[in-house]
Amino acid sequence: MRWRTFFGEQRASVLFLLFRWTQPMGCSAVCSRIIRLLFKVIPQGLCEQYSCLRIRNFVKRSRHEPEILIEGSTAVEVAFGLHWYLKYWCGAHISWDKTGGIQVASVPSPGSLPKVEDRGVKIERPVPWNYYQNVVTSSYSFAWWDWERWEKEIDWMALQGINLALSFTGQEAIWQKVFKDFNIRNENLVNFFGGPAFLAWSRMGNLHAWGGPLSQSWLDQQLSLQKLIVSRMIQLGMTPVLPAFSGNVPAIFQKIFPSVNITKLSNWASVDGDPRWCCTYLLDPSDPLFAEIGELFIKQQIKEYGDITNIYNCDTFNENLPPTNDPKYISFLGGAVYDAMAKGDSDAVWLMQGWLFSDQAAFWKPPQMKALLHSVPIGKMIVLDLFADVIPIWKTSSQFYGVPYVWCMLHNFGGNIEMYGILDAISSGPIDARVTQNSTMVGVGMCMEGIEQNPVVYELMPEMAFRSHKVKIEEWLKSYSYRRYGQANNQMEEAWKILYHTIYNCTDGIFDHNKDVIVDFPDFGPLSDANVVKPHLWYSTEEVIHALELFLSAGNSLSKSRTYRYDLVDLTRQALAKLSNEVYLDMIGAYRMNNISKLTHQIEKFLELIEDIDTLLASDDNFLLGTWLESAKKLATDEKDERQFEWNARTQVTMWFDTLETNQSKLHDYANKYWSGLLKSYYLPRASSYCNYLLQSLMDKQVFPLEEWRKNWFSYSIRWQAGTESYPVKAQGDSLLIAKALFAKYFVN
């Protein structure tokens, strides 16, 4: 086996990248097929404007020499070139392990690798940046990752051509060191940092202490992990985006510096404004101390990691409004935020999430928006048009008033598991933005809150950072189906046409946060108007059921494919979840008609659906609660941390935030998941409890006892969050047989 890699000082190896991605099936599955590739990094002279890649046939002088030469500006472009070649010449497919993993059965053996055109293939980036992550992805998806998992993610990033990514891990240990210079001891930070599953919102100043405190071993572990992460990113030619100071300070600052300008923020989603978690403290950017802290924080990061970037993220005004809408004051504040960065790094560029312009549009009118954007010299700020796939701000802000921006797809909220997307917007949105007159677009990005879902969306989106023209989706999906399953299949091709025009064609302008009744149960009595509101449904369920039928028909030839099994389970889950919403509404309707017999029948059907979906999910390794919980416990160094981490993991995906006896968190079920174990042990008891009260109140001709049900359910939820029972981490059952049985049970008349 002879690989040849040439990456100069970057020392990055696509060989090792592929080793890591093929571990589940053994390296021989791919390495034996593509051992005759030559990789070269050519930093200068290869590209016309930005970075690029080139794939050429290698002129062989002997049968042992390489067959294909892949060159690129950095190792990222080389890795993307390899991925492009594997996809479009060899029919291979690479997705996250939890969405089916890698399919390389179609890659030819050595000596018969497909040739490219004689002149070769050259792909230039039409914009310089391919961006990745949301500030909350670190909690919804990355909270329990070790270096092994991070290593594979960085590989995946390289294969997708990502060259600009947030790198937020370990910053709490940096803050410890910075705050020491201001006479703040580690014990003063116990009620400042949130727990591991809630750090994103602690960092943004939305909450403090919830899920904490953090042990020193955790802080040290995360800092060591961050050093590995940024080192690997740099080796591959990526630019890490490090955090900058947003003004969030511990409460003790008020005592140590009584004369500084500190504002106590309002309650953010906690029950009754509980001071133990809510109402954090924001140091005003206009205060001289702000620049001093901001400078030290950036310099401390440079000391720890080296001078690895000039791009820093800061979202001071993300879901926290300035004290006034006066444009002059907003301009002053923005300038102060940037000055703090520039004092730490004279070449600093401020990367800002543009979520505030969507989420708080009533405040950020043109004068206010322009004041903030122009508070920094043009070229020293990059705005992430975070929600451009649904609400493109570049269209309503004159291209962000001349400020460079990245066209981003947000797509996922809360790390929910829901088949959803807008493939046409992905194909056309970045192109339309880039070619518009006076465009200031400098990149394409993915800003999902949670990853490892909807693989088709995350296959297409990164390509748009390299494409200069719109994609013809139906043609692309035909190729995608072949690559994903390793063979052509007419039934699957037809199924994907249906999914394209239904599930992946959400054009109603409503962003998708999964509100299916099973995973986001209504906290209302059965007579409340709120109980007749249907979860978001933007497509014909009948058509999707037909697509599922086609999936099942293809099962005999595809059942051994991990990618097929994942898609089959996900699509069956989707169809059953939408059916459960209908059954729930029928259940409420029966109650309102005082029909005990019909109510009993609908209750039985609803609860049985939950159990059946759990059984379906249990048949695939990628839909298991146990995996999430065990990954949390694995990072613990002692029993105390293990208990705390498991509580964090359980709480984030259920109640999320605090609760009282009859008043639950406003964010309950925000991070809901369709995971086996979670349905049977959490969602099913909740639904059962509600249904029992529902039926009993109708039989007794009494008003539904909402408060009593809440007491019963919330007490159960709190006990579940504190539980330690284990759940399977390995699949049980045959996905195809289970899906066929459920289809016959629920969809065949």
Side-chain angles (χ1 to χ4, degrees):
M1 182 181 299
R2 300 183 341 116
W3 284 75
R4 296 176 63 187
T5 60
F6 296 85
F7 288 95
E9 295 181 0
Q10 294 180 72
R11 303 174 62 195
S13 173
V14 176
L15 166 65
F16 294 141
L17 180 151
L18 283 168
F19 273 10
R20 287 187 290 271
W21 270 89
T22 54
Q23 284 305 304
M25 62 185 68
C27 181
S28 61
V30 64
C31 296
S32 64
R33 290 179 170 85
I34 48 177
I35 60 175
R36 293 180 180 173
L37 296 172
L38 175 64
F39 307 107
K40 286 186 178 181
V41 168
I42 304 177
Q44 300 192 4
L46 182 65
C47 311
E48 295 179 14
Q49 187 173 9
Y50 305 119
S51 52
C52 67
L53 63 103
R54 184 168 60 190
I55 306 170
R56 292 190 289 170
N57 301 320
F58 192 80
V59 180
K60 297 175 60 175
R61 292 180 293 273
S62 73
R63 66 186 183 89
H64 297 295
E65 292 211 289
E67 297 174 64
I68 299 294
L69 170 64
I70 302 176
E71 303 163 306
S73 310
T74 72
V76 168
E77 280 73 34
V78 173
F80 181 83
L82 170 62
H83 191 193
W84 192 266
Y85 176 75
L86 291 175
K87 282 201 291 188
Y88 291 111
W89 274 267
C90 303
H93 173 76
I94 295 173
S95 70
W96 290 298
D97 283 348
K98 284 182 71 67
T99 56
I102 184 171
Q103 185 290 116
V104 292
S106 56
V107 178
S109 300
S112 57
L113 290 180
K115 301 292 185 183
V116 299
E117 302 91 291
D118 289 341
R119 57 186 174 83
V121 176
K122 187 176 182 182
I123 302 175
E124 299 260 357
R125 289 187 188 264
V127 286
W129 297 117
N130 188 359
Y131 175 79
Y132 183 53
Q133 288 187 43
N134 186 302
V135 294
V136 300
T137 321
S138 59
S139 289
Y140 284 130
S141 292
F142 307 159
W144 314 117
W145 284 8
D146 56 13
W147 171 237
E148 181 181 0
R149 179 62 187 86
W150 261 113
E151 195 171 29
K152 291 197 74 172
E153 188 69 11
I154 298 170
D155 292 344
W156 179 88
M157 290 160 57
L159 288 165
Q160 309 304 326
I162 292 164
N163 60 0
L164 183 67
L166 289 184
S167 192
F168 271 25
T169 303
Q171 62 178 280
E172 284 67 34
I174 301 290
W175 278 119
Q176 266 191 330
K177 298 177 181 183
V178 170
F179 283 142
K180 281 182 180 179
D181 289 342
F182 297 91
N183 298 317
I184 296 177
R185 300 184 297 273
N186 289 348
E187 53 265 34
N188 299 135
L189 299 175
V190 168
N191 292 321
F192 181 59
F193 300 137
F198 300 96
L199 277 177
W201 302 276
S202 173
R203 292 165 179 168
M204 289 188 289
N206 300 130
L207 52 80
H208 64 93
W210 180 250
L214 297 173
S215 65
Q216 192 59 47
S217 61
W218 165 268
L219 294 167
D220 295 341
Q221 175 194 77
Q222 292 296 294
L223 182 59
S224 297
L225 180 59
Q226 169 75 340
K227 291 179 179 179
L228 292 172
I229 292 169
V230 296
S231 176
R232 177 59 55 78
M233 290 174 70
I234 293 299
Q235 286 177 344
L236 288 167
M238 298 176 188
T239 298
V241 178
L242 295 177
F245 181 46
S246 66
N248 185 27
V249 293
I252 199 171
F253 249 73
Q254 284 192 314
K255 294 182 179 179
I256 299 176
F257 304 101
S259 62
V260 300
N261 187 0
I262 292 179
T263 301
K264 186 176 183 180
L265 300 178
S266 59
N267 180 32
W268 187 84
S270 74
V271 176
D272 290 352
D274 193 324
R276 291 176 297 171
W277 339 113
C278 96
C279 312
T280 55
Y281 294 87
L282 187 70
L283 176 62
D284 195 291
S286 64
D287 194 290
L289 195 59
F290 187 101
E292 187 177 346
I293 296 172
E295 176 184 359
L296 288 176
F297 180 59
I298 286 181
K299 286 184 174 179
Q300 185 64 40
Q301 290 184 101
I302 294 173
K303 181 179 178 181
E304 296 285 345
Y305 314 136
D307 189 5
I308 60 172
T309 187
N310 302 120
I311 303 181
Y312 302 90
N313 170 261
C314 184
D315 295 306
T316 296
F317 308 115
N318 188 52
E319 299 188 8
N320 291 317
L321 292 175
T324 173
N325 64 359
D326 180 3
K328 290 183 179 180
Y329 185 73
I330 291 172
S331 179
F332 174 73
L333 289 183
V337 170
Y338 177 73
D339 286 345
M341 294 182 202
K343 285 180 180 294
D345 182 346
S346 59
D347 296 320
V349 175
W350 179 1
L351 182 82
M352 181 180 71
Q353 290 196 152
W355 173 246
L356 70 170
F357 302 133
S358 299
D359 183 56
Q360 298 162 330
F363 178 90
W364 293 102
K365 301 297 185 184
Q368 289 74 30
M369 187 188 301
K370 192 172 183 179
L372 178 59
L373 295 173
H374 286 184
S375 65
V376 176
I378 298 295
K380 292 296 185 178
M381 175 186 280
I382 300 174
V383 182
L384 301 177
D385 196 355
L386 205 73
F387 207 9
D389 53 324
V390 177
I391 306 175
I393 300 299
W394 69 268
K395 289 185 177 181
T396 58
S397 65
S398 300
Q399 303 274 349
F400 288 95
Y401 304 107
V403 172
Y405 74 94
V406 177
W407 191 103
C408 296
M409 175 194 74
L410 207 167
H411 182 257
N412 177 274
F413 288 81
N416 295 163
I417 296 174
E418 167 89 302
M419 293 182 74
Y420 162 83
I422 320 171
L423 295 183
D424 283 335
I426 293 172
S427 168
S428 62
I431 307 299
D432 291 341
R434 182 177 57 81
V435 302
T436 302
Q437 187 175 10
N438 300 320
S439 175
T440 57
M441 176 181 158
V442 295
V444 173
M446 296 184 291
C447 297
M448 63 285 115
E449 290 191 350
I451 65 167
E452 298 175 322
Q453 33 75 31
N454 286 288
V456 67
V457 172
Y458 296 91
E459 175 89 356
L460 178 61
M461 188 67 232
E463 289 189 7
M464 300 312 299
F466 290 85
R467 289 188 178 273
S468 299
H469 303 285
K470 298 177 183 179
V471 175
K472 295 180 180 178
I473 297 297
E474 284 201 3
E475 293 180 13
W476 184 87
L477 282 172
K478 184 176 181 179
S479 170
Y480 172 81
S481 175
Y482 173 81
R483 298 194 310 271
R484 181 140 174 91
Y485 310 120
Q487 58 182 271
N489 186 290
N490 293 335
Q491 292 161 317
M492 297 303 291
E493 290 173 10
E494 185 62 30
W496 273 106
K497 283 183 183 179
I498 295 172
L499 296 180
Y500 163 43
H501 293 291
T502 53
I503 286 175
Y504 293 107
N505 186 37
C506 183
T507 57
D508 60 9
I510 301 175
F511 67 83
D512 188 61
H513 178 251
N514 194 319
K515 306 291 286 186
D516 287 341
V517 173
I518 290 176
V519 294
D520 192 356
F521 203 81
D523 186 23
F524 308 103
L527 299 181
S528 168
D529 289 341
N531 241 322
V532 299
V533 177
K534 291 187 177 182
H536 184 203
L537 183 62
W538 60 98
Y539 59 84
S540 164
T541 55
E542 290 80 7
E543 291 182 60
V544 170
I545 290 169
H546 179 51
L548 175 57
E549 187 176 20
L550 291 168
F551 259 77
L552 291 169
S553 299
N556 290 337
S557 58
L558 297 177
S559 61
K560 293 183 180 180
S561 164
R562 292 174 61 222
T563 47
Y564 167 78
R565 292 197 304 273
Y566 171 89
D567 288 347
L568 174 64
V569 170
D570 202 21
L571 183 56
T572 308
R573 174 211 55 75
Q574 180 89 2
L576 292 173
K578 301 313 170 191
L579 175 62
S580 72
N581 295 333
E582 297 175 18
V583 174
Y584 175 82
L585 291 173
D586 289 341
M587 187 173 74
I588 297 301
Y591 180 92
R592 293 181 173 188
M593 292 186 295
N594 296 310
N595 190 328
I596 294 176
S597 176
K598 185 176 180 181
L599 175 60
T600 302
H601 173 71
Q602 296 300 332
I603 286 174
E604 290 174 354
K605 186 175 181 180
F606 183 65
L607 299 180
E608 194 170 353
L609 263 167
I610 300 176
E611 290 194 76
D612 284 343
I613 296 174
D614 189 280
T615 300
L616 170 73
L617 298 173
S619 69
D620 191 285
D621 288 335
N622 306 304
F623 295 94
L624 304 178
L625 169 65
T627 305
W628 170 254
L629 298 183
E630 292 305 316
S631 64
K633 292 189 285 184
K634 184 180 177 182
L635 286 189
T637 56
D638 57 36
E639 186 176 348
K640 181 180 177 182
D641 271 2
E642 183 175 313
R643 295 287 293 108
Q644 180 195 7
F645 294 176
E646 182 170 7
W647 183 91
N648 268 252
R650 286 169 172 258
T651 300
Q652 191 212 81
V653 299
T654 55
M655 196 60 79
W656 205 100
F657 210 178
D658 60 345
T659 183
L660 296 180
E661 189 177 47
T662 61
N663 192 3
Q664 67 180 326
S665 163
K666 297 175 183 177
L667 295 172
H668 73 90
D669 295 321
Y670 186 85
N672 65 66
K673 302 290 189 293
Y674 275 103
W675 284 340
S676 176
L678 190 58
L679 269 76
K680 191 165 287 188
S681 72
Y682 190 82
Y683 298 137
L684 180 59
R686 174 170 62 184
S688 298
S689 173
Y690 188 90
C691 290
N692 287 338
Y693 279 106
L694 195 67
L695 183 59
Q696 193 63 49
S697 66
L698 188 58
M699 293 172 64
D700 294 343
K701 298 181 180 180
Q702 299 291 325
V703 175
F704 180 80
L706 182 60
E707 293 295 293
E708 185 179 337
W709 172 71
R710 284 175 173 167
K711 287 182 181 180
N712 177 284
W713 165 243
F714 298 167
S715 63
Y716 179 93
S717 179
I718 291 170
R719 292 195 303 274
W720 190 91
Q721 289 166 235
T724 58
E725 63 276 12
S726 60
Y727 295 87
V729 294
K730 293 294 182 183
Q732 301 171 353
D734 186 305
S735 299
L736 180 58
L737 292 179
I738 293 170
K740 284 182 175 180
L742 293 179
F743 186 89
K745 180 177 181 179
Y746 290 107
F747 300 120
V748 177
N749 296 326

